[in-house]
Amino acid sequence: MSMSCATADEVVVIKTIDAGRYADPQALCAPDCRQALVWSDWETHVAKAMYEMLRGLENVLRSTIASRLSTYYGRADWWNAPRLNLTHATMSKIEKAEQKLSRAGVPVTPTAVQCEVSLGFWVMLAGRGNDYETQLWRPMKAGFPGYRGRREPFYTRLNHLRILRNKVAHQDRIGGRNLAADRQSVMTAIGYVSEAVARRVEAADTALPLLLANRPGVCAQRRGSES
């Protein structure tokens, strides 16, 4: 039976933060291997870098969709337009945002509400909903000049990134994903609105390419035992 390469203090840290769950399968010499800390730290930095890009995507979606729908429905709180029939799930996100602002003593303005809702809200607006194809997609799609396809593939890409964002937010392991493809997907989605913004976000992200080029490896003790 293999012995861990970690010190007693390292074992305590590994167990306390559950570091082993971030390592690639077969990378550790033992469940409390020192290399688990390397993987955990790497995962933290990867998640930070990915979150920054996803934050950029969320800002772009919020600004673009809110502007298009406010103009089309003639009011800043476009979700309250009489001719708009949103699903219960969509309206519940608005209501929860309003309640949260009220509890915090923040004025419940349309701008504040739209800043409070999550990425999932904006992605939901591109879904099927209650005839969202007509009610939302048609008036909002002009805000995405870089996209020429149908609504469904657009939604599929955004929903994929929403799931990734939730994994980052909930400290799930993302190192096993094709992160280079995820990064490109974020840039593509931002580029639907503006190639200039996408280039700016990509240029600002110097961290993730470097991290992907320096992915942690297998514990030296495990390599030695397998040689």
Tab-separated table of all heavy atoms in Angstrom, residues 172-220:
chain	number	residue	atom	x	y	z
A	172	ASP	N	-16.955	23.760	-8.120
A	172	ASP	CA	-16.850	22.437	-8.730
A	172	ASP	C	-15.556	22.354	-9.530
A	172	ASP	O	-15.008	23.370	-9.968
A	172	ASP	CB	-18.028	22.174	-9.675
A	172	ASP	CG	-19.339	21.990	-8.927
A	172	ASP	OD1	-19.291	21.737	-7.714
A	172	ASP	OD2	-20.395	22.118	-9.567
A	173	ARG	N	-15.075	21.147	-9.752
A	173	ARG	CA	-13.872	20.968	-10.556
A	173	ARG	C	-14.179	21.269	-12.012
A	173	ARG	O	-15.132	20.751	-12.585
A	173	ARG	CB	-13.359	19.526	-10.424
A	173	ARG	CG	-12.097	19.265	-11.250
A	173	ARG	CD	-11.562	17.860	-11.014
A	173	ARG	NE	-10.307	17.682	-11.736
A	173	ARG	CZ	-10.182	17.019	-12.895
A	173	ARG	NH1	-11.242	16.466	-13.436
A	173	ARG	NH2	-9.017	16.928	-13.483
A	174	ILE	N	-13.370	22.128	-12.636
A	174	ILE	CA	-13.538	22.418	-14.056
A	174	ILE	C	-12.285	22.050	-14.854
A	174	ILE	O	-12.277	22.128	-16.079
A	174	ILE	CB	-13.889	23.897	-14.306
A	174	ILE	CG1	-12.762	24.830	-13.823
A	174	ILE	CG2	-15.205	24.251	-13.645
A	174	ILE	CD1	-12.968	26.276	-14.234
A	175	GLY	N	-11.226	21.623	-14.156
A	175	GLY	CA	-9.975	21.310	-14.823
A	175	GLY	C	-10.053	20.154	-15.787
A	175	GLY	O	-9.199	20.019	-16.670
A	176	GLY	N	-11.075	19.307	-15.660
A	176	GLY	CA	-11.222	18.186	-16.571
A	176	GLY	C	-11.924	18.553	-17.868
A	176	GLY	O	-12.025	17.729	-18.778
A	177	ARG	N	-12.406	19.805	-17.975
A	177	ARG	CA	-13.077	20.257	-19.175
A	177	ARG	C	-12.060	20.685	-20.238
A	177	ARG	O	-10.879	20.872	-19.939
A	177	ARG	CB	-13.972	21.464	-18.842
A	177	ARG	CG	-15.095	21.173	-17.867
A	177	ARG	CD	-15.767	22.485	-17.459
A	177	ARG	NE	-16.341	23.165	-18.605
A	177	ARG	CZ	-17.616	23.126	-18.949
A	177	ARG	NH1	-18.469	22.407	-18.226
A	177	ARG	NH2	-18.064	23.795	-19.987
A	178	ASN	N	-12.542	20.876	-21.442
A	178	ASN	CA	-11.714	21.465	-22.491
A	178	ASN	C	-11.782	22.975	-22.303
A	178	ASN	O	-12.597	23.671	-22.917
A	178	ASN	CB	-12.227	21.067	-23.875
A	178	ASN	CG	-11.324	21.565	-24.992
A	178	ASN	OD1	-10.517	22.489	-24.801
A	178	ASN	ND2	-11.443	20.979	-26.164
A	179	LEU	N	-10.929	23.489	-21.425
A	179	LEU	CA	-10.997	24.892	-21.049
A	179	LEU	C	-10.600	25.828	-22.177
A	179	LEU	O	-11.076	26.969	-22.242
A	179	LEU	CB	-10.123	25.139	-19.817
A	179	LEU	CG	-10.620	24.460	-18.536
A	179	LEU	CD1	-9.583	24.572	-17.428
A	179	LEU	CD2	-11.939	25.080	-18.086
A	180	ALA	N	-9.738	25.378	-23.061
A	180	ALA	CA	-9.383	26.206	-24.218
A	180	ALA	C	-10.619	26.426	-25.092
A	180	ALA	O	-10.856	27.531	-25.596
A	180	ALA	CB	-8.266	25.557	-25.024
A	181	ALA	N	-11.417	25.362	-25.265
A	181	ALA	CA	-12.653	25.483	-26.052
A	181	ALA	C	-13.670	26.353	-25.320
A	181	ALA	O	-14.388	27.149	-25.944
A	181	ALA	CB	-13.239	24.103	-26.327
A	182	ASP	N	-13.747	26.221	-23.995
A	182	ASP	CA	-14.650	27.064	-23.210
A	182	ASP	C	-14.261	28.535	-23.354
A	182	ASP	O	-15.124	29.406	-23.510
A	182	ASP	CB	-14.595	26.671	-21.730
A	182	ASP	CG	-15.310	25.364	-21.435
A	182	ASP	OD1	-16.263	25.030	-22.161
A	182	ASP	OD2	-14.911	24.680	-20.484
A	183	ARG	N	-12.980	28.792	-23.287
A	183	ARG	CA	-12.485	30.173	-23.426
A	183	ARG	C	-12.880	30.735	-24.784
A	183	ARG	O	-13.363	31.867	-24.885
A	183	ARG	CB	-10.963	30.193	-23.255
A	183	ARG	CG	-10.326	31.578	-23.340
A	183	ARG	CD	-8.829	31.456	-23.119
A	183	ARG	NE	-8.182	32.742	-23.011
A	183	ARG	CZ	-7.684	33.437	-24.046
A	183	ARG	NH1	-7.797	32.937	-25.270
A	183	ARG	NH2	-7.100	34.602	-23.855
A	184	GLN	N	-12.688	29.948	-25.825
A	184	GLN	CA	-13.047	30.401	-27.156
A	184	GLN	C	-14.547	30.605	-27.291
A	184	GLN	O	-15.001	31.529	-27.981
A	184	GLN	CB	-12.567	29.392	-28.204
A	184	GLN	CG	-12.823	29.830	-29.646
A	184	GLN	CD	-12.225	31.187	-29.957
A	184	GLN	OE1	-11.031	31.423	-29.722
A	184	GLN	NE2	-13.044	32.104	-30.476
A	185	SER	N	-15.336	29.773	-26.621
A	185	SER	CA	-16.786	29.910	-26.673
A	185	SER	C	-17.235	31.224	-26.048
A	185	SER	O	-18.165	31.878	-26.536
A	185	SER	CB	-17.456	28.727	-25.967
A	185	SER	OG	-18.862	28.743	-26.164
A	186	VAL	N	-16.584	31.619	-24.948
A	186	VAL	CA	-16.889	32.906	-24.327
A	186	VAL	C	-16.593	34.037	-25.308
A	186	VAL	O	-17.400	34.965	-25.489
A	186	VAL	CB	-16.085	33.113	-23.034
A	186	VAL	CG1	-16.312	34.520	-22.471
A	186	VAL	CG2	-16.470	32.076	-21.983
A	187	MET	N	-15.424	33.978	-25.946
A	187	MET	CA	-15.043	35.020	-26.890
A	187	MET	C	-16.019	35.077	-28.066
A	187	MET	O	-16.380	36.155	-28.544
A	187	MET	CB	-13.631	34.773	-27.420
A	187	MET	CG	-12.557	34.730	-26.359
A	187	MET	SD	-12.593	36.154	-25.241
A	187	MET	CE	-11.457	35.576	-23.973
A	188	THR	N	-16.443	33.905	-28.537
A	188	THR	CA	-17.388	33.852	-29.647
A	188	THR	C	-18.707	34.513	-29.262
A	188	THR	O	-19.274	35.300	-30.032
A	188	THR	CB	-17.643	32.394	-30.075
A	188	THR	OG1	-16.415	31.825	-30.544
A	188	THR	CG2	-18.694	32.315	-31.174
A	189	ALA	N	-19.203	34.196	-28.051
A	189	ALA	CA	-20.476	34.762	-27.590
A	189	ALA	C	-20.389	36.273	-27.433
A	189	ALA	O	-21.315	37.004	-27.808
A	189	ALA	CB	-20.894	34.112	-26.274
A	190	ILE	N	-19.294	36.763	-26.885
A	190	ILE	CA	-19.112	38.214	-26.756
A	190	ILE	C	-19.007	38.841	-28.140
A	190	ILE	O	-19.537	39.929	-28.394
A	190	ILE	CB	-17.860	38.536	-25.919
A	190	ILE	CG1	-18.058	38.064	-24.469
A	190	ILE	CG2	-17.556	40.039	-25.938
A	190	ILE	CD1	-16.835	38.240	-23.587
A	191	GLY	N	-18.342	38.139	-29.055
A	191	GLY	CA	-18.190	38.632	-30.413
A	191	GLY	C	-19.500	38.760	-31.159
A	191	GLY	O	-19.581	39.520	-32.132
A	192	TYR	N	-20.533	38.045	-30.731
A	192	TYR	CA	-21.851	38.211	-31.346
A	192	TYR	C	-22.326	39.655	-31.204
A	192	TYR	O	-23.058	40.174	-32.045
A	192	TYR	CB	-22.886	37.293	-30.692
A	192	TYR	CG	-22.693	35.818	-30.947
A	192	TYR	CD1	-23.219	34.869	-30.066
A	192	TYR	CD2	-22.014	35.350	-32.072
A	192	TYR	CE1	-23.076	33.508	-30.293
A	192	TYR	CE2	-21.860	33.992	-32.307
A	192	TYR	CZ	-22.389	33.076	-31.404
A	192	TYR	OH	-22.243	31.728	-31.643
A	193	VAL	N	-21.931	40.283	-30.099
A	193	VAL	CA	-22.300	41.675	-29.847
A	193	VAL	C	-21.262	42.624	-30.432
A	193	VAL	O	-21.583	43.574	-31.135
A	193	VAL	CB	-22.450	41.944	-28.336
A	193	VAL	CG1	-22.746	43.422	-28.074
A	193	VAL	CG2	-23.541	41.071	-27.747
A	194	SER	N	-19.991	42.352	-30.136
A	194	SER	CA	-18.926	43.249	-30.588
A	194	SER	C	-17.600	42.515	-30.660
A	194	SER	O	-17.109	42.034	-29.637
A	194	SER	CB	-18.801	44.440	-29.627
A	194	SER	OG	-17.635	45.175	-29.872
A	195	GLU	N	-17.012	42.475	-31.833
A	195	GLU	CA	-15.697	41.873	-31.984
A	195	GLU	C	-14.645	42.689	-31.231
A	195	GLU	O	-13.684	42.135	-30.712
A	195	GLU	CB	-15.328	41.773	-33.470
A	195	GLU	CG	-16.079	40.687	-34.224
A	195	GLU	CD	-15.685	39.287	-33.772
A	195	GLU	OE1	-14.607	39.140	-33.158
A	195	GLU	OE2	-16.451	38.344	-34.028
A	196	ALA	N	-14.843	43.989	-31.163
A	196	ALA	CA	-13.897	44.848	-30.459
A	196	ALA	C	-13.868	44.509	-28.970
A	196	ALA	O	-12.797	44.444	-28.354
A	196	ALA	CB	-14.258	46.322	-30.664
A	197	VAL	N	-15.047	44.290	-28.385
A	197	VAL	CA	-15.110	43.919	-26.969
A	197	VAL	C	-14.490	42.548	-26.764
A	197	VAL	O	-13.748	42.324	-25.795
A	197	VAL	CB	-16.570	43.945	-26.457
A	197	VAL	CG1	-16.635	43.418	-25.020
A	197	VAL	CG2	-17.132	45.353	-26.521
A	198	ALA	N	-14.777	41.619	-27.670
A	198	ALA	CA	-14.219	40.269	-27.557
A	198	ALA	C	-12.692	40.320	-27.593
A	198	ALA	O	-12.021	39.641	-26.808
A	198	ALA	CB	-14.751	39.385	-28.675
A	199	ARG	N	-12.133	41.125	-28.484
A	199	ARG	CA	-10.675	41.245	-28.559
A	199	ARG	C	-10.108	41.844	-27.282
A	199	ARG	O	-9.035	41.437	-26.807
A	199	ARG	CB	-10.279	42.102	-29.767
A	199	ARG	CG	-10.480	41.413	-31.109
A	199	ARG	CD	-9.785	42.166	-32.230
A	199	ARG	NE	-10.346	43.504	-32.423
A	199	ARG	CZ	-11.355	43.777	-33.250
A	199	ARG	NH1	-11.925	42.810	-33.953
A	199	ARG	NH2	-11.794	45.013	-33.393
A	200	ARG	N	-10.822	42.795	-26.714
A	200	ARG	CA	-10.361	43.429	-25.474
A	200	ARG	C	-10.363	42.433	-24.318
A	200	ARG	O	-9.412	42.371	-23.540
A	200	ARG	CB	-11.254	44.624	-25.140
A	200	ARG	CG	-10.848	45.391	-23.894
A	200	ARG	CD	-11.770	46.584	-23.669
A	200	ARG	NE	-11.457	47.277	-22.429
A	200	ARG	CZ	-10.526	48.207	-22.318
A	200	ARG	NH1	-9.810	48.563	-23.362
A	200	ARG	NH2	-10.300	48.790	-21.141
A	201	VAL	N	-11.431	41.653	-24.220
A	201	VAL	CA	-11.526	40.647	-23.153
A	201	VAL	C	-10.445	39.588	-23.338
A	201	VAL	O	-9.786	39.173	-22.374
A	201	VAL	CB	-12.929	39.994	-23.149
A	201	VAL	CG1	-12.964	38.810	-22.188
A	201	VAL	CG2	-13.993	41.019	-22.770
A	202	GLU	N	-10.239	39.165	-24.570
A	202	GLU	CA	-9.227	38.144	-24.838
A	202	GLU	C	-7.824	38.655	-24.526
A	202	GLU	O	-7.007	37.943	-23.945
A	202	GLU	CB	-9.305	37.695	-26.293
A	202	GLU	CG	-8.371	36.552	-26.620
A	202	GLU	CD	-8.627	35.954	-27.977
A	202	GLU	OE1	-9.216	36.645	-28.834
A	202	GLU	OE2	-8.256	34.776	-28.186
A	203	ALA	N	-7.550	39.917	-24.889
A	203	ALA	CA	-6.227	40.482	-24.622
A	203	ALA	C	-5.970	40.622	-23.128
A	203	ALA	O	-4.827	40.491	-22.664
A	203	ALA	CB	-6.109	41.847	-25.305
A	204	ALA	N	-7.043	40.891	-22.371
A	204	ALA	CA	-6.894	41.044	-20.924
A	204	ALA	C	-6.652	39.721	-20.218
A	204	ALA	O	-6.096	39.681	-19.117
A	204	ALA	CB	-8.147	41.715	-20.347
A	205	ASP	N	-7.064	38.637	-20.860
A	205	ASP	CA	-6.898	37.317	-20.244
A	205	ASP	C	-5.534	36.721	-20.599
A	205	ASP	O	-5.407	35.936	-21.529
A	205	ASP	CB	-8.002	36.363	-20.686
A	205	ASP	CG	-7.767	34.951	-20.158
A	205	ASP	OD1	-7.318	34.828	-19.003
A	205	ASP	OD2	-7.997	33.992	-20.909
A	206	THR	N	-4.539	37.109	-19.844
A	206	THR	CA	-3.212	36.522	-20.025
A	206	THR	C	-3.015	35.328	-19.105
A	206	THR	O	-2.087	34.541	-19.296
A	206	THR	CB	-2.123	37.564	-19.736
A	206	THR	OG1	-2.297	38.070	-18.383
A	206	THR	CG2	-2.215	38.734	-20.716
A	207	ALA	N	-3.898	35.189	-18.113
A	207	ALA	CA	-3.720	34.153	-17.092
A	207	ALA	C	-4.063	32.751	-17.579
A	207	ALA	O	-3.287	31.809	-17.393
A	207	ALA	CB	-4.551	34.495	-15.858
A	208	LEU	N	-5.239	32.595	-18.201
A	208	LEU	CA	-5.700	31.246	-18.519
A	208	LEU	C	-4.796	30.512	-19.514
A	208	LEU	O	-4.481	29.338	-19.292
A	208	LEU	CB	-7.144	31.282	-19.028
A	208	LEU	CG	-7.827	29.917	-19.162
A	208	LEU	CD1	-7.783	29.140	-17.854
A	208	LEU	CD2	-9.274	30.086	-19.623
A	209	PRO	N	-4.356	31.143	-20.604
A	209	PRO	CA	-3.451	30.411	-21.506
A	209	PRO	C	-2.187	29.920	-20.811
A	209	PRO	O	-1.721	28.807	-21.070
A	209	PRO	CB	-3.120	31.454	-22.588
A	209	PRO	CG	-4.302	32.364	-22.595
A	209	PRO	CD	-4.709	32.467	-21.154
A	210	LEU	N	-1.656	30.739	-19.910
A	210	LEU	CA	-0.455	30.344	-19.173
A	210	LEU	C	-0.748	29.188	-18.225
A	210	LEU	O	0.044	28.245	-18.106
A	210	LEU	CB	0.098	31.543	-18.396
A	210	LEU	CG	1.448	31.349	-17.703
A	210	LEU	CD1	2.530	31.012	-18.724
A	210	LEU	CD2	1.828	32.607	-16.933
A	211	LEU	N	-1.890	29.245	-17.578
A	211	LEU	CA	-2.280	28.168	-16.667
A	211	LEU	C	-2.478	26.856	-17.419
A	211	LEU	O	-2.070	25.792	-16.942
A	211	LEU	CB	-3.565	28.546	-15.928
A	211	LEU	CG	-3.427	29.598	-14.826
A	211	LEU	CD1	-4.786	30.182	-14.473
A	211	LEU	CD2	-2.766	28.994	-13.589
A	212	LEU	N	-3.106	26.938	-18.579
A	212	LEU	CA	-3.334	25.718	-19.359
A	212	LEU	C	-2.032	25.128	-19.866
A	212	LEU	O	-1.921	23.907	-20.030
A	212	LEU	CB	-4.272	26.021	-20.531
A	212	LEU	CG	-5.693	26.460	-20.150
A	212	LEU	CD1	-6.540	26.659	-21.406
A	212	LEU	CD2	-6.360	25.466	-19.218
A	213	ALA	N	-1.055	25.985	-20.086
A	213	ALA	CA	0.251	25.503	-20.543
A	213	ALA	C	1.067	24.903	-19.402
A	213	ALA	O	2.066	24.218	-19.638
A	213	ALA	CB	1.034	26.633	-21.194
A	214	ASN	N	0.645	25.164	-18.172
A	214	ASN	CA	1.367	24.673	-16.996
A	214	ASN	C	0.440	23.871	-16.092
A	214	ASN	O	0.433	24.048	-14.870
A	214	ASN	CB	1.976	25.853	-16.228
A	214	ASN	CG	3.092	26.525	-16.991
A	214	ASN	OD1	4.232	26.087	-16.973
A	214	ASN	ND2	2.759	27.610	-17.677
A	215	ARG	N	-0.287	22.982	-16.700
A	215	ARG	CA	-1.210	22.113	-15.964
A	215	ARG	C	-0.419	21.187	-15.034
A	215	ARG	O	0.612	20.636	-15.431
A	215	ARG	CB	-2.004	21.286	-16.974
A	215	ARG	CG	-3.061	20.373	-16.407
A	215	ARG	CD	-3.667	19.554	-17.550
A	215	ARG	NE	-4.672	18.638	-17.062
A	215	ARG	CZ	-5.951	18.935	-16.904
A	215	ARG	NH1	-6.371	20.147	-17.220
A	215	ARG	NH2	-6.818	18.055	-16.464
A	216	PRO	N	-0.876	21.010	-13.792
A	216	PRO	CA	-0.162	20.112	-12.873
A	216	PRO	C	-0.082	18.688	-13.410
A	216	PRO	O	-0.934	18.264	-14.199
A	216	PRO	CB	-1.015	20.163	-11.597
A	216	PRO	CG	-1.749	21.452	-11.686
A	216	PRO	CD	-2.027	21.655	-13.149
A	217	GLY	N	0.920	17.994	-12.978
A	217	GLY	CA	1.106	16.622	-13.439
A	217	GLY	C	0.893	15.601	-12.342
A	217	GLY	O	0.229	15.862	-11.335
A	218	VAL	N	1.497	14.452	-12.542
A	218	VAL	CA	1.372	13.328	-11.612
A	218	VAL	C	2.391	13.484	-10.484
A	218	VAL	O	3.509	13.974	-10.696
A	218	VAL	CB	1.595	12.002	-12.360
A	218	VAL	CG1	1.558	10.815	-11.418
A	218	VAL	CG2	0.553	11.845	-13.458
A	219	CYS	N	2.004	13.073	-9.298
A	219	CYS	CA	2.909	13.096	-8.145
A	219	CYS	C	4.199	12.338	-8.475
A	219	CYS	O	4.161	11.242	-9.048
A	219	CYS	CB	2.212	12.461	-6.948
A	219	CYS	SG	3.294	12.115	-5.551
A	220	ALA	N	5.338	12.920	-8.104
A	220	ALA	CA	6.634	12.298	-8.394
A	220	ALA	C	6.747	10.924	-7.751
A	220	ALA	O	7.326	9.993	-8.327
A	220	ALA	CB	7.761	13.203	-7.910
